[in-house]
Amino acid sequence: MMMADRAAPFDDDKLHEECGCFGVWGHGDAAAVTALGLHALQHRGQEAAGIVSLNGGQFYSHRAVGLVDHDFSKRSVIDALPGQAAVGHVRYSTTGASEIRNVQPLYADYAFGGLAIAHNGNLTNAMGLKKRLVNEGSLFQSTSDTEVLVHLIARSHRQEVLDRLTDAVFQIEGAWSLVALFADALIGVRDPLGIRPLVLGRLGNGWVLASETVALDIMGAELVRDVAPGEIVIIDDDGPRSIHPFREQPQRFCVFEYVYFARPDSVLENRGVYEVRKRIGEELAKESPVGADLVVPVPDSGVPAAIGFAQASGIPFELGIIRNHYVGRTFIEPTDQIRHLGVKLKHNANRSMLAGKRVVLVDDSIVRGTTSTKIVEMVRAAGASEVHMRIASPPTTYSCFYGVDTPEREKLLAARHDVAEMAELIGVDSLAFLSIDGLYRATGEAGRNNRQPQFCDACFTGEYPTPLRDAVNRGEGRAEHATPATDSLVETVA
Ligand code: SF4
């Protein structure tokens, strides 16, 4: 995925996870199951979705811009995706119908058969690899970094499909959780640091792979385990087997999954996300106490941390801000004037709770600071006598290059200002962020091991766990070529 600085309509000023993946093997209604899984993963990407199914050696694909429901709740669409295996993807970063070529799963026909691939993460050396591949004659159909993998698999000199895939993943860097569908197997792969999540589940006699456990819950599948960092799990009619081709390294799972990206009802790496978020609030209350009458979450993402803060501090929790859940990302393309009103469409102050009260607002993070400023204005306008803000993560001071939509560094408020300046800009009486050690403690660690951090926390510390070869030139040199015809894919595009 490409790093971008898109101002979505009524921008909520959050970092956004760019993708979610799902795959199923051995279920009679594979496409319908995949649609359900994608529906549960919708928070990981709202702008496009796709499913590729496999039936008797023939692949079927449907990809569409929009929410999963928009196309994949239609029986006609699901009926056109027959078979007992399927792979699906939800995506954040597509911006319009013209970008349908970037919607995943990507599909390719090889001499050995078809392959559909869904990717969560970002390859940090994709541009360099793409340049080499184009020089060698590869024709790219999309601007997605994931397509680099498709070509690396095609150019491998190895004979077996699995060897070709292994060959390809040895050449890529960055974050990748992949779910791939070949004619005879469903394959899940996680990068050697395990930056992005991927779980294995059991569904009746079949098997599923998913970015988060919530995608298993929706269909009653049982969680088997997280796919391990660097593991390749191969699922066929004999069930799953694994290979571990990478040198073992300490894991660097994305700690921001616990802060914000993952759904609170997911369990990732044996930690319940909701519990971690509540403990984050408890840590925050211990580290940065404040005298106040109410703890108010910025909904919805600030809710679990605000509950933890309220319980640890003894200050009552109240819903002083109400969120309108029906404001879509594509409501209208706003003018600057309308954009200014946007936050009020999404959040409204609950005046009867706030008037005359000293309020502690709890939010998960501050990115540009635009929404925080408007929320504080709104809470003051509703009559709060004091407004204090507590942030359930350390200051976000660096961009993410691992599959999260992040503004350039200079647009991150915390990259340009210290905490006192930020408090003044946002207009609060006091502002405090969780410490990095507090965040680690909330996950169950004793604190951050500075010599060997237990997570990726690069957006807080700038310590990126992989090389960032493409970072400077990202977005350049993406030559486009005609799409070659395929002969075993039946595709419908919305
Ligand atoms: Fe997660 Fe931040 Fe690391 Fe990106 S840089 S993977 S958001 S912890």
Side-chain angles (χ1 to χ4, degrees):
M1 305 304 128
M2 290 193 297
M3 189 176 77
D5 181 20
R6 291 178 308 275
F10 306 116
D11 186 2
D12 57 6
D13 193 24
K14 298 287 182 197
L15 300 186
H16 286 278
E17 180 67 61
E18 292 202 338
C19 297
C21 303
F22 187 88
V24 55
W25 184 272
H27 192 282
D29 212 354
V33 162
T34 303
L36 275 179
L38 295 182
H39 181 73
L41 296 173
Q42 187 78 84
H43 59 290
R44 298 185 78 85
Q46 295 96 47
E47 296 194 5
I51 295 178
V52 173
S53 72
L54 170 66
N55 190 31
Q58 171 86 39
F59 289 84
Y60 298 80
S61 171
H62 186 89
R63 299 179 297 159
V65 172
L67 296 174
V68 175
D69 276 4
H70 187 264
D71 270 52
F72 293 100
S73 58
K74 295 174 189 154
R75 195 67 236 181
S76 58
V77 170
I78 297 299
D79 285 347
L81 296 166
Q84 301 205 340
V87 57
H89 190 260
V90 286
R91 174 180 170 84
Y92 174 71
S93 56
T94 302
T95 52
S98 62
E99 297 297 322
I100 192 78
R101 66 202 165 133
N102 287 332
V103 179
Q104 297 189 23
L106 297 183
Y107 176 83
D109 264 318
Y110 297 99
F112 57 77
L115 159 69
I117 191 161
H119 172 203
N120 175 208
N122 183 68
L123 308 184
T124 53
N125 64 339
M127 281 173 58
L129 289 170
K130 182 171 179 177
K131 206 166 167 188
R132 189 192 91 201
L133 288 161
V134 168
N135 286 339
E136 290 170 1
S138 291
L139 302 177
F140 276 74
Q141 304 176 39
S142 74
T143 54
S144 161
D145 60 335
T146 311
E147 196 183 348
V148 165
L149 266 171
V150 171
H151 291 279
L152 291 174
I153 293 167
R155 290 190 164 260
S156 169
H157 297 300
R158 309 287 291 275
Q159 292 303 310
E160 298 296 322
V161 172
L162 188 57
D163 293 339
R164 285 171 172 266
L165 176 68
T166 308
D167 231 15
V169 294
F170 263 99
Q171 297 175 65
I172 58 178
E173 294 171 347
W176 68 89
S177 282
L178 305 173
V179 181
L181 186 61
F182 293 88
D184 52 10
L186 175 73
I187 294 182
V189 193
R190 221 167 151 201
D191 68 70
L193 297 173
I195 295 174
R196 300 254 77 88
L198 188 64
V199 298
L200 171 68
R202 183 93 214 230
L203 179 62
N205 294 323
W207 299 88
V208 295
L209 291 165
S211 293
E212 290 183 35
T213 57
V214 286
L216 274 48
D217 297 342
I218 194 172
M219 62 196 65
E222 173 198 340
L223 172 65
V224 176
R225 60 180 173 84
D226 294 272
V227 175
E231 177 180 0
I232 300 181
V233 55
I234 306 109
I235 301 168
D236 58 20
D237 292 340
D238 295 328
R241 66 193 163 88
S242 293
I243 59 171
H244 299 266
F246 293 95
R247 179 177 57 83
E248 206 175 315
Q249 307 175 49
Q251 183 165 12
R252 298 293 295 276
F253 184 61
C254 167
V255 77
F256 221 117
E257 293 280 355
Y258 292 120
V259 171
Y260 174 68
F261 300 141
R263 246 174 63 168
D265 43 343
S266 274
V267 177
L268 298 175
E269 301 296 334
N270 300 314
R271 297 177 187 94
V273 175
Y274 180 82
E275 290 163 272
V276 173
R277 286 187 191 159
K278 256 184 81 177
R279 284 200 297 268
I280 281 174
E282 291 165 13
E283 290 289 337
L284 199 48
K286 278 186 232 159
E287 286 184 359
S288 303
V290 58
D293 305 310
L294 297 178
V295 175
V296 171
V298 177
D300 292 327
S301 52
V303 171
I307 292 172
F309 192 105
Q311 288 179 355
S313 64
I315 302 170
F317 171 97
E318 292 290 354
L319 294 177
I321 299 171
I322 304 299
R323 180 176 163 188
N324 181 343
H325 287 94
Y326 305 99
V327 177
R329 282 173 177 277
T330 53
F331 181 61
I332 52 170
E333 191 64 43
T335 62
D336 281 351
Q337 210 177 6
I338 298 290
R339 192 188 295 279
H340 179 71
L341 299 175
V343 72
K344 288 183 190 154
L345 282 178
K346 193 167 176 182
H347 294 117
N348 192 31
N350 189 359
R351 282 175 178 276
S352 57
M353 290 313 310
L354 298 172
K357 301 283 180 17
R358 296 171 300 158
V359 174
V360 191
L361 288 176
V362 179
D363 204 354
D364 60 274
S365 57
I366 292 180
V367 182
R368 296 180 186 82
T370 48
T371 298
S372 306
T373 310
K374 289 171 187 166
I375 295 258
V376 171
E377 267 173 27
M378 192 173 72
V379 170
R380 286 204 191 280
S385 59
E386 289 177 26
V387 183
H388 304 271
M389 192 164 239
R390 295 294 178 266
I391 302 298
S393 59
T396 305
T397 41
Y398 293 88
S399 301
C400 176
F401 297 95
Y402 301 121
V404 170
D405 179 42
T406 328
E408 290 90 1
R409 191 170 176 227
E410 61 271 19
K411 295 199 173 146
L412 297 170
L413 193 70
R416 293 179 286 121
H417 301 284
D418 64 22
V419 176
E421 289 168 345
M422 283 191 274
E424 199 175 330
L425 285 165
I426 291 170
V428 286
D429 295 289
S430 77
L431 172 68
F433 291 80
L434 183 65
S435 71
I436 193 79
D437 278 323
L439 177 55
Y440 275 65
R441 280 195 298 274
T443 67
E445 302 288 338
R448 185 178 195 262
N449 177 344
N450 291 327
R451 275 176 303 158
Q452 181 52 64
Q454 305 91 318
F455 293 99
C456 175
D457 55 19
C459 47
F460 308 125
T461 62
E463 289 180 37
Y464 294 95
T466 73
L468 301 176
R469 294 180 207 278
D470 290 345
V472 175
N473 294 319
R474 192 174 298 281
E476 296 173 10
R478 292 176 182 260
E480 302 304 333
H481 300 276
T483 303
T486 58
D487 61 10
S488 66
L489 173 73
V490 179
E491 177 160 33
T492 52
V493 167

